[in-house]
Amino acid sequence: METSIRLPHGIYSTTMELKATYDIENIGLTPGIQHELWPLDEIDPTKDKFPCCLVWTPLPVVSWLAPFIGHVGICREDGVILDFSGSNFVNIDSFAFGAVARYLQLDRKQCCFPANLAEHTCKYGFKHREYGAAVTWDDALRSSMRHFEHKTYNLFTCNCHSFVANCLNRLCYGGSMEWNMISVATLVLFKGQWVSVMSILRAFLPFMLVLCLGLVLVGWPFIIGLFSFSMLLIGWFLLGNYWLKWLIDC
């Protein structure tokens, strides 16, 4: 039989109140609740707005010698670009080293946004929570920003790719927490879209000019040296990201 308590403002059902309180407290514990994702605005390169995208631009001098190397950032849901461009500093809405040349929009449905340990859609569970699981895309980016505001920038050990990888690991994007400099660079290199024809020229024309000038002035030894430089860079990052991870602790 249902009991009731008489209060000054009327009669309230104790049973119904207790049930409502129970439902509210346990709504976050109910498995299967879908995380709502609001619609994103359109990508607009003219305003530098790239919602939920990875963005890339060539670096001065370095990209002239190795055009596959560049500066990367990651964008919030409103399209604002975030990039780690100096010690203890994450750029907001001012992409370092020029306009975006290449971008790749990511699918938020491939992220893991757990309200609790029971709702992890990834295989990592507690490891993801311990690393810094996020409840939204922007929440993951904010956490990574706070982390990198206390990091020293270094082109070879802790750079813009490290920041983006940290964000993707917090998102557990694609069901993986193994994102690093190499995997981020590879993703943009093979799946990124060019903003325009001018972006392609801006990325490769300096390299072609340096290549031709070196060939005319120095000859084949310059080509061999340039190739060796590229191989050394690739070798270093492969070594640090996959075998000697303590060398690249960021």
Side-chain angles (χ1 to χ4, degrees), residues 45-142:
T46 60
K47 296 181 180 179
D48 283 333
K49 299 300 180 185
F50 298 86
C52 294
C53 288
L54 302 186
V55 290
W56 180 94
T57 194
L59 282 168
V61 183
V62 178
S63 295
W64 301 352
L65 303 175
F68 54 87
I69 292 178
H71 183 67
V72 297
I74 189 168
C75 304
R76 298 187 320 211
E77 290 175 303
D78 61 1
V80 170
I81 302 171
L82 309 177
D83 61 300
F84 181 52
S85 54
S87 295
N88 311 314
F89 179 68
V90 177
N91 239 347
I92 302 175
D93 204 19
S94 180
F95 199 32
F97 307 109
V100 173
R102 211 170 189 180
Y103 67 92
L104 173 65
Q105 190 166 48
L106 302 181
D107 183 3
R108 290 173 296 170
K109 292 180 181 178
Q110 293 192 44
C111 302
C112 177
F113 297 124
N116 53 65
L117 283 176
E119 289 189 20
H120 275 270
T121 57
C122 65
K123 62 184 179 182
Y124 295 97
F126 180 75
K127 180 183 177 182
H128 187 204
R129 172 72 74 177
E130 189 176 35
Y131 186 87
V135 294
T136 67
W137 178 278
D138 286 353
D139 182 44
L141 270 55
R142 279 191 295 268

